Amino acid sequence: KAGVTQTPRYLIKTRGQQVTLSCSPISGHRSVSWYQQTPGQGLQFLFEYFSETQRNKGNFPGRFSGRQFSNSRSEMNVSTLELGDSALYLCASSWQQGDQETQYFGPGTRLLVL
Amino acid sequence: GENVEQHPSTLSVQEGDSAVIKCTYSDSASNYFPWYKQELGKRPQLIIDIRSNVGEKKDQRIAVTLNKTAKHFSLHITETQPEDSAVYFCAASPRGGADGLTFGKGTHLIIQP
């Protein structure tokens, strides 16, 4: 099976702009989670989607949002970008049936906000 | 919410020696504990995980132990090799991905030749 894919891989934006990142999960996986990785804060959970519904959300401001489509592909959006939003954004997919909750990560999208 | 502490932040060992990384967690409801390895510029990759119904799990040179009473779990790597050099993250979750994984800050493992 193909792994988790994310597009774009790199992105440069300026403060105040908005950005949309895309994640395609492993075929058959229904859960997609998003994480932000920075040198200072490490890996932090943003939100998780399952069957097009957001099931849980981390402690991030409302500028961070997401959605999931019927084919399980997911997008996350960040509005009114701030310098501190510069980070590696990782998505992870899992099957989410029984104890099959193992998460597999995509390569990430590296976002630089200038 | 869950809080995961990971130690040490940097670990340097001689090739062939063993390495141990320790994590503690705060939420007694957590029952899933994965470990990820992240090489520079690459995605985190799952190397081993353990659920709360077992105390130890082994996969070749890698083992994880879990003490639910003390709320701590550890990663053990034996006979370390240069390719083991990477950043290792522990994580905990009460419901696997559904509640998101809470990660430790990571351990930079350096294997000295």
Side-chain angles (χ1 to χ4, degrees):
Chain A
K1 283 184 179 178
V4 180
T5 58
Q6 291 185 246
T7 56
R9 294 293 311 279
Y10 304 92
L11 209 48
I12 299 175
K13 292 284 187 179
T14 56
R15 279 183 299 173
Q17 288 187 308
Q18 74 165 21
V19 67
T20 299
L21 312 181
S22 181
C23 172
S24 292
I26 292 171
S27 178
H29 284 192
R30 298 165 63 190
S31 169
V32 174
S33 298
W34 287 89
Y35 295 86
Q36 181 195 65
Q37 186 174 28
T38 59
Q41 298 300 316
L43 278 153
Q44 293 185 287
F45 172 67
L46 281 155
F47 29 65
E48 187 257 355
Y49 286 86
F50 181 81
S51 293
E52 302 178 64
T53 301
Q54 186 184 89
R55 287 200 297 191
N56 205 5
K57 191 176 187 301
N59 296 321
F60 280 81
R63 301 184 297 107
F64 292 82
S65 63
R67 60 178 176 169
Q68 187 179 35
F69 302 94
S70 58
N71 62 358
S72 294
R73 189 177 68 86
S74 178
E75 289 181 346
M76 68 163 281
N77 184 76
V78 188
S79 61
T80 320
L81 284 165
E82 301 177 359
L83 296 179
D85 296 334
S86 294
L88 180 66
Y89 290 88
L90 292 156
C91 77
S93 75
S94 63
W95 178 242
Q96 283 291 308
Q97 291 286 339
D99 62 355
Q100 298 296 311
E101 70 270 59
T102 301
Q103 294 191 32
Y104 299 91
F105 282 87
T109 294
R110 189 165 295 281
L111 172 64
L112 178 61
V113 182
L114 302 175
Chain B
E2 176 64 276
N3 182 52
V4 176
E5 300 282 341
Q6 182 172 347
H7 299 280
S9 57
T10 304
L11 178 61
S12 181
V13 301
Q14 289 293 125
E15 182 179 349
D17 288 351
S18 296
V20 180
I21 302 170
K22 298 181 179 182
C23 290
T24 60
Y25 61 99
S26 61
D27 189 347
S28 56
S30 285
N31 58 12
Y32 176 63
F33 308 92
W35 286 87
Y36 286 87
K37 173 184 179 182
Q38 188 175 30
E39 296 176 69
L40 191 62
K42 297 191 175 180
R43 73 187 76 188
Q45 291 199 306
L46 179 76
I47 55 172
I48 196 167
D49 57 10
I50 192 168
R51 292 175 175 82
S52 59
N53 55 349
V54 297
E56 184 173 359
K57 184 176 178 181
K58 192 173 181 180
D59 183 4
Q60 299 184 326
R61 297 186 296 109
I62 294 172
V64 58
T65 58
L66 171 65
N67 183 327
K68 284 217 71 173
T69 303
K71 293 188 199 158
H72 68 70
F73 55 114
S74 300
L75 178 71
H76 305 253
I77 305 174
T78 59
E79 300 172 16
T80 53
Q81 300 169 3
E83 53 265 37
D84 294 330
S85 293
V87 178
Y88 291 80
F89 294 94
C90 63
S93 175
R95 281 199 298 148
D99 287 335
L101 294 171
T102 300
F103 284 87
K105 293 292 189 188
T107 295
H108 186 192
L109 177 62
I110 301 166
I111 308 300
Q112 303 279 6

